[in-house]
Amino acid sequence: MSETDPRLRKMFEAVAQAVIAHADELTELDSAIGDGDHGHNMTRGMQAVLGELDALVAKPWNEALKAAGMQLVMKVGGASGPLYGTLVMTLGKSLDTPPTRDGLTAALHAAIEAVMARGKASAGQKTMLDVLVPVSEAVSAGRSPAEVAEVARKACAATKEMLATKGRASFLGERSVGHIDPGARSSQIMIEAIAEQLGDAK
Ligand code: ADP
Ligand code: MG
């Protein structure tokens, strides 16, 4: 099957493999302030994407992202499945193909707005948005992939001291403080993998 853009396969593989490699850590984080399924949920979604990889990479970027987002909605489950699915599908709907820097900035902004609307949440509530929002701002500000990855790392670490007011962790109230949010960590892992690919691509 012909590939529209060889970078697409590398990007999907890098993201999926990074998440799968950290599944146990995501499960541990979710065991502390949730129900312990985040590693399993994300692995199921990433394996679905890898299973569809040949068909996905035969599509243009935007169509491939829309299809991958659908896989995430169907396979990840939990609260994070529809949210990551919305993120990736909206990226696909909004991205120009092949992607440009301006196009990526606008698409990321639109995708994060869609996640906020879907989850009725915003930054500051100890969720994936506490990584995604500062990352989107760093991309808008023209930061390099390595700088964006560093923003994501710091933003993820900062969720440790936050009080959860959305999602399952919010049921714990004050006891949610002192643990990194699992969705913030999975977002950071994916962003780091993407940043590494973009950094290598030149
Ligand atoms: P569940 O909470 O249903 O078990 P997961 O464990 O797969 O689902 O995902 C939990 C993660 O989802 C949380 O760590 C948080 O980052 C994210 N999350 C939950 N609710 C929301 C929301 N309303 N908006 C954004 N992210 C959310
Ligand atoms: Mg969970």
Side-chain angles (χ1 to χ4, degrees), residues 26 30-31 33-39 41 78-80 168 182:
L26 294 174
D30 198 34
S31 301
I33 57 167
D35 56 356
D37 62 354
H38 193 55
N41 290 346
S80 59
R168 215 175 273 279

Side-chain angles (χ1 to χ4, degrees), residues 2-5 8 54-65 67:
S2 69
E3 296 192 8
T4 313
D5 184 337
L8 197 51
D54 286 342
L56 288 176
V57 299
K59 300 176 193 286
W61 277 85
N62 48 0
E63 293 301 326
L65 286 167

Side-chain angles (χ1 to χ4, degrees), residues 36-47:
D37 62 354
H38 193 55
H40 187 71
N41 290 346
M42 294 300 289
T43 297
R44 209 169 41 224
M46 294 299 144
Q47 278 170 345

Side-chain angles (χ1 to χ4, degrees), residues 6-79:
R7 291 175 297 174
L8 197 51
R9 177 182 291 273
K10 288 180 79 179
M11 198 69 88
F12 277 132
E13 279 178 344
V15 169
Q17 285 162 2
V19 170
I20 292 168
H22 290 89
D24 289 349
E25 184 195 338
L26 294 174
T27 289
E28 263 172 49
L29 292 173
D30 198 34
S31 301
I33 57 167
D35 56 356
D37 62 354
H38 193 55
H40 187 71
N41 290 346
M42 294 300 289
T43 297
R44 209 169 41 224
M46 294 299 144
Q47 278 170 345
V49 168
L50 290 177
E52 292 285 310
L53 199 55
D54 286 342
L56 288 176
V57 299
K59 300 176 193 286
W61 277 85
N62 48 0
E63 293 301 326
L65 286 167
K66 278 193 239 170
M70 289 290 289
Q71 286 291 330
L72 297 182
V73 171
M74 289 189 296
K75 299 283 165 47
V76 175

Side-chain angles (χ1 to χ4, degrees), residues 135-152:
V135 159
S136 173
E137 287 167 359
V139 171
S140 298
R143 300 275 174 265
S144 71
E147 287 169 332
V148 172
E150 183 57 20
V151 165

